[in-house]
Amino acid sequence: MLWTAPTEKNLATDTLEKKLWDAANQLWAGAGLKQSDYSEPILGLIFLRFAEVRFNARRAVLEKAGASSRRGSKADEPTAYHAEGVLFLAPGACFAELLQLPEGADIGKALNEAMKTIERDNPQMAGVLPKGYQVFDSRLLSNLLKTLSTIPADLEGDAFGKIYEYFLGTFAMSEGQKGGEFFTPTSIVRLIVEILEPFHGRILDPACGSGGMFVQSARFVSAHQKSPSAELSIHGQERVDGNVRLARMNLAVHGLEGDIKHGNTYYEDLHSTVGRFDFVCANPPFNVSQVDKERLTSEVGKNRRYPFGLPRTDNANYLWIQDFYSALNDQGRAGFVMANSASDARSSEQDIRQKLIESRAVDVMIAVGPNMFYTVTLPCTLWFFDKGKVHTPRADTVLFIDARHIYRQIDRAHRDWNEAQISFLANLVRLYRGEALDFTLGGSEAESKIKEVFGSKPKFTDVLGLCKASSLKDIEAQGWSLNPGRYVGVAAGEAVSDEDFKTQLGTWNEELETLNAQARDLEQTIAANVAELLDV
């Protein structure tokens, strides 16, 4: 199914975050610095501005309350701020004070001291904030503070979070491969979250980067009129120490708290994950080699991290896939990004995939087209597990969706999904699951598209070129492949892409190999029978 939404690039030119980015980037670039040198410092300054706005609002409340209280004001007590999820800012740690430093002052040193003071007074931020500002020119820092001071203090809701997220995404796009380590494009994350529906429970991302999965999960909860802090218990693990800091700042800017640990997930299960989580969402690195599997042998077996065994191939994809599966409780759901090759991998990986499918936990597979990521152009596949489905009528089926031809072109090299497209795909899954439709995201445009494809009283049905619910028997006949292209087909009138043709050719080649093998077996049988007759 082809659905290309018009680009909204021009609408973004006047947004506050875009203006801030252009101004800040011009300053830094004028100083002859690489973007990779200033992503963390500038995100720290946005955090500082955000922290001051919330601090001032809370201080005003405390001072007003103190004026009418015989016990006096609590405006200088850090605990009075922490109780409301607000950071306490001692003198010297406020954005406004730094902004007013006189010409000639060592602003870099002052910023470092401000960050240290915030960490001292707010233990949850210990070791998180950047402190390398002394290497930058004071005039540059002063101009940057002035630029960021234009962020209105009366911004409501998640506005600061969106500014932080915009900078994260733009840094990721500009930093190439490194950017992919800490940022997953927002539309991909939003689709995963919409299909998982994390209304309440413990959520894990064992490759959490800058924490985008948690932020979008919290937005989903907020959009359904509930408090993310009350509904979600956030747990993350990340190999790169700098990304851990970005994630913890990201959570703080969005008013969230979580347990983000620094460690290599291949060798360290810092959250003792097996069977403990309601939701798992992740974008792990693809096709990683040279993982020392000897160190993992004690974690193989039932009720351990690798219940279906270790892959013999030098590829970690099926380590991650089993990590996600084993972390779920009996009703848990997982959604994650994975290399296309994992859907059709052979040998020991195929054996593991067969066991996963036979466990009835594989729920939905979505083929995603190219250019959706900032760092690679290759297409990918979204996998979804649902351990609770074993007790439902869809226990013996898997839903395959081909979303490769659904996208919005945001510039020459990149695509994403708009809200209506994300909602359409998520509601397609809800139709399949027999759940109530939800157009909180996407609104009337998504609802119209659902009715256009599935009727005025929408009911799930297979749609050539878009979706197909396939039985485990059909999947077994396809060699336990989870490649959506093998099942969904191509609608009449749609062009066959190179990727489609490659998939079709692979399928035809497999069928030919099977027929040739059967012919050889038949030839031997006939020869044996003839020989037996002649002997008689």
Side-chain angles (χ1 to χ4, degrees):
M1 175 181 148
L2 177 63
W3 178 9
T4 55
T7 179
E8 296 181 7
K9 181 180 178 182
N10 291 336
L11 297 179
T13 56
D14 293 328
T15 60
L16 175 61
E17 51 265 41
K18 178 71 165 55
K19 289 180 178 177
L20 287 169
W21 168 264
D22 287 344
N25 193 45
Q26 190 173 12
L27 286 172
W28 288 101
L33 299 168
K34 294 186 295 183
Q35 287 185 339
S36 57
D37 294 333
Y38 61 82
S39 56
E40 195 169 331
I42 201 169
L43 289 168
L45 294 184
I46 295 172
F47 172 84
L48 196 60
R49 173 68 171 150
F50 158 80
E52 182 186 67
V53 169
R54 297 198 71 199
F55 171 80
N56 287 341
R58 177 63 180 158
R59 187 175 185 85
V61 171
L62 291 171
E63 288 178 341
K64 184 177 180 181
S68 58
S69 172
R70 287 186 297 176
R71 295 184 177 180
S73 175
K74 296 183 178 179
D76 293 322
E77 297 180 13
T79 53
Y81 295 81
H82 298 164
E84 295 297 322
V86 177
L87 297 177
F88 177 75
L89 302 184
C94 291
F95 188 97
E97 295 174 88
L98 296 162
L99 185 64
Q100 298 302 321
L101 288 174
E103 188 174 342
D106 189 342
I107 297 180
K109 181 180 179 182
L111 278 167
N112 290 342
E113 291 302 318
M115 297 297 183
K116 291 176 184 175
T117 301
I118 294 173
E119 291 186 347
R120 181 198 67 196
D121 295 333
N122 303 277
Q124 69 272 32
M125 300 306 297
V128 172
L129 301 178
K131 304 175 196 67
Y133 291 99
Q134 75 281 356
V135 302
F136 302 114
D137 179 72
S138 284
R139 182 179 299 177
L140 172 68
L141 292 172
S142 176
N143 289 334
L144 193 57
L145 288 169
K146 289 176 184 174
T147 297
L148 296 180
S149 71
T150 61
I151 300 175
D154 58 352
L155 281 182
E156 296 180 350
D158 196 24
F160 267 101
K162 288 181 178 175
I163 293 171
Y164 187 91
E165 192 176 333
Y166 182 88
F167 273 68
L168 264 180
T170 313
F171 277 127
M173 188 181 294
S174 62
E175 290 186 17
Q177 190 65 35
K178 183 175 181 294
E181 292 181 358
F182 64 79
F183 189 81
T184 303
T186 302
S187 68
I188 295 274
V189 181
R190 293 187 84 175
L191 178 59
I192 289 174
V193 168
E194 284 287 321
I195 291 176
L196 288 186
E197 300 179 313
F199 283 104
H200 176 84
R202 296 167 62 88
I203 185 167
L204 169 72
D205 182 348
C208 70
S210 56
M213 296 285 180
F214 303 132
V215 169
Q216 294 304 328
S217 295
R219 285 211 177 109
F220 177 86
V221 173
S222 295
H224 291 82
Q225 312 304 317
K226 293 188 177 181
S227 166
S229 297
E231 301 296 334
L232 296 179
S233 176
I234 292 172
H235 303 263
Q237 185 167 326
E238 167 59 39
R239 179 181 61 85
V240 180
D241 188 38
N243 294 345
V244 174
R245 294 195 295 273
L246 289 179
R248 292 175 68 181
M249 277 199 291
N250 198 6
L251 291 182
V253 168
H254 287 85
L256 303 169
E257 288 191 17
D259 185 5
I260 310 297
K261 296 183 184 296
H262 176 213
N264 188 331
T265 300
Y266 295 126
Y267 308 121
E268 301 169 284
D269 182 18
L270 298 178
H271 290 291
S272 301
T273 56
V274 176
R276 294 187 62 217
F277 289 89
D278 301 286
F279 305 100
V280 175
C281 43
N283 175 20
F286 295 172
N287 303 319
V288 173
S289 60
Q290 299 185 339
V291 175
D292 184 0
K293 291 197 280 287
E294 289 294 320
R295 296 174 60 180
L296 307 179
T297 53
S298 63
E299 301 190 68
V300 176
K302 188 178 180 181
N303 297 325
R304 298 182 183 181
R305 290 176 70 194
Y306 308 111
F308 306 125
L310 300 176
R312 291 189 297 276
T313 51
D314 189 14
N315 187 314
N317 288 344
Y318 274 84
L319 296 179
W320 284 111
I321 291 171
Q322 290 189 82
D323 262 324
F324 306 146
Y325 171 87
S326 62
L328 297 174
N329 59 32
D330 289 343
Q331 298 296 317
R333 287 179 174 179
F336 55 92
V337 187
M338 184 48 61
N340 275 353
S341 57
S343 304
D344 277 320
R346 301 298 185 87
S347 189
S348 61
E349 294 175 310
Q350 180 177 344
D351 296 339
I352 294 172
R353 189 171 62 248
Q354 176 182 342
K355 292 172 184 174
L356 269 170
I357 296 167
E358 290 176 334
S359 77
R360 271 66 176 174
V362 181
D363 190 22
V364 181
M365 301 290 296
I366 301 180
V368 178
N371 300 320
M372 296 291 282
F373 289 82
Y374 298 152
T375 53
V376 295
T377 59
L378 294 174
C380 68
T381 307
L382 304 184
W383 293 49
F384 293 89
F385 294 159
D386 181 356
K387 282 195 173 177
K389 83 161 194 167
V390 69
H391 304 298
T392 72
R394 55 190 169 84
D396 292 332
T397 61
V398 174
L399 174 62
F400 293 95
I401 298 175
D402 187 347
R404 289 176 296 172
H405 308 296
I406 298 175
Y407 60 86
R408 175 177 61 178
Q409 194 76 39
I410 54 177
D411 58 36
R412 290 181 61 187
H414 300 101
R415 297 174 177 176
D416 69 359
W417 291 308
N418 66 19
E419 291 188 353
Q421 291 171 324
I422 294 169
S423 179
F424 170 78
L425 292 168
N427 278 295
L428 190 170
V429 174
R430 294 184 183 112
L431 277 179
Y432 163 71
R433 288 172 172 166
E435 297 175 346
L437 300 183
D438 179 358
F439 295 103
T440 304
L441 181 73
S444 58
E445 184 181 358
E447 185 173 3
S448 297
K449 198 69 177 179
I450 281 287
K451 289 181 177 177
E452 176 187 323
V453 177
F454 294 99
S456 57
K457 295 181 179 178
K459 183 179 180 182
F460 178 80
T461 185
D462 295 341
V463 177
L464 190 63
L466 174 63
C467 61
K468 181 176 177 57
S470 295
S471 67
L472 299 197
K473 186 176 180 181
D474 291 339
I475 297 171
E476 180 181 7
Q478 290 287 343
W480 302 104
S481 168
L482 288 175
N483 181 344
R486 287 177 177 260
Y487 305 92
V488 176
V490 179
E494 284 189 2
V496 178
S497 67
D498 290 345
E499 196 67 25
D500 293 330
F501 179 73
K502 185 179 177 182
T503 300
Q504 285 186 356
L505 185 62
T507 303
W508 292 336
N509 187 54
E510 283 188 12
E511 290 177 357
L512 179 61
E513 288 179 355
T514 302
L515 291 172
N516 285 337
Q518 291 174 349
R520 287 192 293 272
D521 290 343
L522 189 57
E523 186 179 8
Q524 290 178 359
T525 301
I526 292 172
N529 289 340
V530 170
E532 186 177 345
L533 288 171
L534 292 177
D535 285 345
V536 172

